[in-house]
């Protein structure tokens, strides 16, 4: 049996409270290098809060997150920026800046690269994310929903991070555009060896591209491959993975794999 790789990121005993409500109650999980890990859960289970906690953007009430072997809250902002990138829900692009300048923002903040080199890298990241060169000159309001997601992904990749966190990358997209985003994520994972953590409610994403899934239920997390999780008898997990939408997603995923 091959030895399990050392996690690129690990969380232990994470507790997050909002007032009297305990959203996470001792959540622990590992993110392995080169994997695509999906995070899903019921409404109000704190999926996005957990992502922000793992990315060092939210300090938990208790517990620790370690990135590349170090406590994430001890890393300097620039050190963390070179290790991880984040695609926020709805893209979170600055509306007053053209797309290329949005992609350049991490470089402006964390590097001393000359402007012309930053522009070259921004163009490369936009191309890597599947956008044409002219998209860099447009403002976010001029882009379609799918193009906004791609531009936000290009910004997340600007500093060549080892791991990217994607918060609902296919939300509000039509099925064809969502499928194209999934394919892009998988392409980046395979081509660059990029580690990806995805918060999503999209069952097609979970069944098609995620190697493992973390399911948040009642403040705790259950992590594993979907074929194992489908045998879990926890009521919410069972319904989530065996309902009509799950069956359709599983059928589509099997057809997709069969066509490769």
């Amino acid at each position: 049996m091959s030895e399990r790789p050392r996690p690129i990121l690990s969380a232990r005993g994470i507790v997050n409270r909002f007032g009297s409500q305990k959203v996470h109650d001792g959540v622990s999980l590992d993110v392995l290098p080169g994997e695509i890990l999906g995070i899903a859960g019921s409404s109000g289970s704190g999926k996005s809060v957990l992502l922000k906690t793992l990315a060092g953007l939210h300090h938990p009430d208790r517990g620790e997150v370690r990135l590349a072997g170090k406590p994430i809250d001890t890393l300097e902002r620039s050190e963390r920026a070179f290790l991880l990138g984040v695609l926020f829900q709805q893209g979170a692009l600055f509306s007053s800046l053209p797309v290329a300048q949005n992609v350049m923002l991490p470089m402006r903040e964390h590097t001393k690269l000359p402007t012309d080199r930053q522009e070259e890298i921004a163009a490369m990241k936009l191309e890597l994310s599947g956008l044409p060169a002219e998209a860099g000159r447009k403002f976010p309001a001029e882009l379609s929903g799918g193009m906004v997601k791609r531009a936000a992904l290009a910004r997340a990749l600007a500093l060549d991070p080892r791991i990217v966190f994607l918060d609902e990358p296919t939300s509000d997209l039509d099925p064809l555009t969502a499928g194209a985003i999934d394919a892009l994520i998988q392409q980046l994972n395979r081509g660059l060896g990029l580690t990806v953590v995805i918060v999503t409610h999209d069952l097609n994403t979970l069944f098609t591209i995620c190697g493992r899934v973390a399911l948040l239920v009642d403040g705790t997390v259950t992590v594993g491959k979907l074929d194992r999780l489908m045998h879990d008898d926890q009521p919410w997990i069972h319904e989530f993975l065996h309902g009509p939408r799950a069956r359709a997603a599983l059928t589509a995923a099997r057809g997709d794999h069969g066509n490769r």
Side-chain angles (χ1 to χ4, degrees):
M1 182 181 294
S2 60
E3 185 177 346
R4 188 185 188 195
R6 177 176 295 183
I8 185 174
L9 181 143
S10 62
R12 292 292 179 269
I14 299 299
V15 174
N16 281 310
R17 291 188 180 91
F18 293 95
S20 60
Q21 181 185 10
K22 187 182 287 186
V23 180
H24 302 132
D25 187 9
V27 167
S28 297
L29 61 84
D30 292 328
V31 180
L32 306 178
E35 79 168 330
I36 301 178
L37 175 71
I39 298 177
S42 58
S43 178
S45 61
K47 299 182 292 294
S48 292
V49 175
L50 180 59
L51 181 142
K52 290 176 182 177
T53 302
L54 296 177
L57 302 174
H58 174 81
H59 188 75
D61 293 282
R62 195 165 72 239
E64 181 184 61
V65 176
R66 299 181 73 89
L67 176 62
K70 301 178 182 178
I72 198 166
D73 54 6
T74 68
L75 299 175
E76 297 291 337
R77 288 184 67 247
S78 287
E79 185 179 6
R80 190 167 66 197
F82 280 96
L83 285 169
L84 65 87
V86 182
L87 184 157
F88 296 97
Q89 201 169 145
Q90 309 304 326
L93 299 176
F94 288 93
S95 60
S96 61
L97 295 177
V99 168
Q101 290 190 33
N102 268 281
V103 178
M104 290 164 60
L105 282 174
M107 291 179 269
R108 288 180 174 175
E109 184 172 0
H110 299 292
T111 78
K112 296 180 180 180
L113 293 172
T115 300
D116 58 348
R117 181 58 182 151
Q118 291 183 30
E119 291 172 344
E120 290 175 8
I121 294 172
M124 290 169 54
K125 299 304 180 182
L126 288 169
E127 182 181 5
L128 188 65
S129 299
L131 287 174
E134 58 267 23
R137 298 188 291 272
K138 295 183 177 182
F139 287 86
E142 299 176 278
L143 302 182
S144 68
M147 293 175 75
V148 166
K149 301 282 189 177
R150 290 176 183 270
L153 179 58
R155 183 177 63 185
L157 296 172
L159 298 177
D160 295 325
R162 293 176 60 187
I163 180 172
V164 292
F165 296 87
L166 312 180
D167 194 356
E168 299 284 5
T170 62
S171 64
D172 301 323
L173 301 180
D174 65 83
L176 286 177
T177 304
I181 295 294
D182 283 343
L184 173 62
I185 294 168
Q186 193 168 53
Q187 177 185 337
L188 293 171
N189 167 256
R190 291 175 174 174
L192 303 179
L194 189 66
T195 304
V196 184
V197 177
I198 308 175
V199 163
T200 184
H201 66 277
D202 189 333
L203 283 155
N204 287 310
T205 298
L206 295 175
F207 277 101
T208 303
I209 69 171
C210 295
R212 293 191 306 145
V213 174
L215 296 177
L216 284 167
V217 185
D218 298 330
T220 62
V221 68
T222 302
V223 187
K225 294 182 178 293
L226 277 171
D227 56 359
R228 183 181 70 82
L229 293 175
M230 291 180 73
H231 295 286
D232 196 296
D233 59 4
Q234 199 284 333
W236 186 89
I237 293 176
H238 186 272
E239 176 60 26
F240 182 65
L241 296 179
H242 291 272
R245 293 180 63 244
R247 291 197 297 270
L250 179 59
T251 299
R254 285 172 173 167
D256 184 55
H257 288 301
N259 291 328
R260 293 178 185 176

